[in-house]
Amino acid sequence: MSAHEGPERAFPRPGVLGMSSRGLLVATSTAQLGAQLAGLAVAVGRKRYFDVGFMRGSPEHIGRDAVWNGTAYSAPVTMLITQLWAVRRLAAGPDDLARRVLGLLGTVNVPGYLSERFFRQHLRPGGWDPVETPVLAASIALAAGMAVLGHRAQAGR
């Protein structure tokens, strides 16, 4: 059997920059968590409450909302804690549950970001903000990476 036949390859697929799929998922998820924490700090500091059309927070309750509903630039703190738990488990060794959790969080975060009014404003022409836009671009790109990598079975090994 050649190296490119069937789901079980004769040779392992090389990772990016020599990293295993698991290592790449850990690195991507760690960076995404950092971007989310930066987004949380920016959102709380600038009072960027969550606003997804059918649900809306308020500037007065941004601290409470950050824990349970998230902000315009970060998932709820409860999800960030879950992400930290999964990253630590996967970093410690192969863990299929942690891989799946990270894939799910990435999959949920991408449409979550796109549904946020403040997020969309900064991705449009004329919406550039030197602080917010880079944080948002990193957050969504890394979340998409988590979604893809987290759904590859070899990333858990």
Side-chain angles (χ1 to χ4, degrees):
M1 173 164 34
S2 77
H4 300 289
E5 291 178 9
E8 298 298 323
R9 292 177 171 76
F11 303 101
R13 178 183 285 177
V16 175
L17 300 175
M19 295 177 76
S20 67
S21 293
R22 180 171 60 88
L24 187 56
L25 178 57
V26 168
T28 301
S29 300
T30 300
Q32 204 279 333
L33 182 60
Q36 288 235 38
L37 292 172
L40 175 64
V42 169
V44 169
R46 295 186 175 191
K47 305 287 189 203
R48 300 290 196 234
Y49 53 90
F50 73 97
D51 182 357
V52 293
F54 62 93
M55 291 190 320
R56 177 178 290 163
S58 68
E60 299 82 33
H61 298 113
I62 188 86
R64 179 195 66 201
D65 289 345
V67 174
W68 302 110
N69 299 310
T71 68
Y73 305 150
S74 69
V77 170
T78 52
M79 284 178 63
L80 301 181
I81 291 168
T82 302
Q83 185 169 339
L84 176 62
W85 168 85
V87 167
R88 289 179 54 115
R89 274 187 64 140
L90 194 59
D95 190 313
D96 198 51
L97 175 62
R99 172 192 64 85
R100 290 173 188 257
V101 166
L102 292 172
L104 175 65
L105 289 173
T107 301
V108 169
N109 282 336
V110 171
Y113 285 130
L114 293 174
S115 67
E116 287 289 348
R117 181 174 57 92
F118 289 118
F119 191 97
R120 291 189 315 271
Q121 285 175 351
H122 289 297
L123 295 181
R124 291 186 178 130
W128 172 264
D129 179 273
V131 174
E132 295 179 25
T133 304
V135 170
L136 304 178
S139 294
I140 196 167
L142 291 164
M146 279 175 56
V148 170
L149 293 168
H151 287 92
R152 295 177 61 193
Q154 65 267 28
R157 297 185 205 133

